[in-house]
Amino acid sequence: MKELAGRLTALDPDAGAAVRVIAYFDRLSEARAGLEALVRGAAVLAGVPARLIDAERRVQVRVEADGTRRDSGVPPDPGWPTTALAPNGTAALWLERAEAAPSVVDAVILERAAGAVRLVLDRTRGRAPVDDPALVETVLDATAPEAARSHAARGLGLEPTASARALAPLDGRPRIVAGRADAALPAGRVGVGPAVPVLDLPRSWADARTALRFTAEGTAQDPGPKIVYADELGGVALLADLVAPGAEPPPDVRALEAAGAATPWLLGTLHAVVSTASLRAAAAEINVHHSTLQDRLSHAEHLLGWPLRTPQGRLRLQLALTMRHLARS
């Protein structure tokens, strides 16, 4: 191979370099090199940082051109040379080369490195779905031994020291996502637990189930957010311990239910009042004139029996709307 590379280099420097790249990654594959070694090889050969991202299997490796591992949370630039690990897949290997068009050698580096990376991932991470119900259940089970939870986490492609969140959808099927959850949220009502180390996910799951109780359908008769993050609830989360689902609701909640049943616009209007910065903003939110909102509030005050345009009245209203969600969960 060295002799062939030398001859090709004399005729075409790019061709000679490409052959050396092929031989380099063949040697790494024969030695069963790991992911970091393969990404390091791509970075050193290309002379620019290289990164591997496989979100499905929770893998992210970035190596500088000098061979130093230095991961980054900044998304890849779409203009960088890249190759997917599988057709129509999202997992990819990138070369962080922005100043010039990719060369023939870059293309060979990406192709050979990606092929080697794909073999390692299939060998070490398998193709088990990251939402495998049995594995997810084990990871989230606070009563399961730590060794069992760690083993299940690796089966999902999660490193025990990594950060992840538990999701509690309304359908009851728990899920796990790495980092911020916005892009991976299922449809409908979802409680999102705090980001914690993987081995602490049972706590995130418990918090996610609590957050789910604060969600709403987002309709006129059930206004409110469909998605609630547990770590954004603060002290309001304590209400979940005070209002038991299915029990006799507090008097203010019963008043809301009766008023809402008699007046279709009432619950949506009241939610706008407590979730916006001012009455004018609330009027704009529900697309009515400010004077119309004032008339609606007067009617609502009559039905509920307490003022809604004072700080104390708005707080009481907000608590009543929140407890309404908790009581019916």
Side-chain angles (χ1 to χ4, degrees):
M1 184 68 75
K2 285 185 178 179
E3 182 180 353
L4 175 60
R7 291 179 178 177
L8 287 173
T9 300
L11 298 173
D12 184 340
D14 282 347
V19 171
R20 284 192 290 272
V21 167
I22 294 171
Y24 178 83
F25 283 108
D26 283 349
R27 289 195 299 272
L28 287 181
S29 295
E30 290 170 3
R32 296 176 71 85
L35 296 176
E36 185 171 331
L38 292 169
V39 178
R40 179 175 292 109
V44 172
L45 289 173
V48 295
R51 72 168 75 184
L52 164 66
I53 299 178
D54 186 344
E56 181 181 354
R57 287 185 273 203
R58 305 293 195 268
V59 174
Q60 180 164 317
V61 179
R62 181 182 180 275
V63 179
E64 299 279 358
D66 62 2
T68 304
R69 171 79 178 261
R70 186 171 292 118
D71 291 336
S72 171
V74 178
D77 186 323
W80 291 343
T82 183
T83 188
L85 299 189
N88 302 318
T90 58
L93 184 67
W94 305 75
L95 296 179
E96 299 182 10
R97 190 187 303 284
E99 73 278 3
S103 65
V104 172
V105 176
D106 282 347
V108 175
I109 291 172
L110 287 170
E111 180 186 357
R112 301 302 289 191
V117 163
R118 183 166 53 249
L119 293 176
V120 173
L121 285 172
D122 289 348
R123 184 177 72 241
T124 62
R125 306 296 175 108
R127 293 193 175 275
V130 296
D131 62 348
D132 180 285
L135 295 179
V136 170
E137 182 178 347
T138 300
V139 172
L140 299 181
D141 185 358
T143 65
E146 183 175 304
R149 288 188 283 115
S150 180
H151 180 75
R154 285 197 165 90
L156 293 169
L158 296 166
E159 292 297 329
T161 56
S163 177
R165 295 175 184 264
L167 305 184
L170 185 60
D171 65 14
R173 181 185 175 189
R175 304 187 190 185
I176 298 172
V177 297
R180 187 72 180 177
D182 305 73
L185 290 175
R189 292 167 51 198
V190 184
V192 183
V196 297
V198 166
L199 291 180
D200 288 339
L201 276 170
R203 172 169 61 86
S204 183
W205 169 237
D207 290 346
R209 284 180 293 167
T210 297
L212 175 63
R213 296 184 59 201
F214 288 86
T215 63
E217 293 294 339
T219 63
Q221 293 307 307
D222 190 20
K226 290 186 177 182
I227 300 166
V228 172
Y229 284 82
D231 46 12
E232 295 177 357
L233 285 172
V236 176
L238 298 175
L239 286 175
D241 295 329
L242 302 177
V243 183
E248 179 70 13
D252 284 357
V253 174
R254 295 200 300 270
L256 272 177
E257 294 287 8
T263 313
W265 50 257
L266 184 131
L267 293 173
T269 297
L270 297 184
H271 176 262
V273 168
V274 300
S275 61
T276 54
S278 67
L279 292 183
R280 291 196 177 276
E285 176 75 16
I286 57 177
N287 197 29
V288 300
H289 193 272
H290 182 258
S291 62
T292 301
L293 177 61
Q294 293 288 356
D295 292 340
R296 287 189 176 187
L297 288 178
S298 296
H299 185 60
E301 288 172 337
H302 173 72
L303 292 174
L304 296 175
W306 74 82
L308 301 177
R309 284 166 279 199
T310 65
Q312 296 85 355
R314 283 166 61 97
L315 175 59
R316 182 175 176 180
L317 174 61
Q318 187 163 17
L319 289 174
L321 288 168
T322 300
M323 290 188 295
R324 179 175 180 265
H325 295 155
L326 295 173
R328 62 98 168 91
S329 299

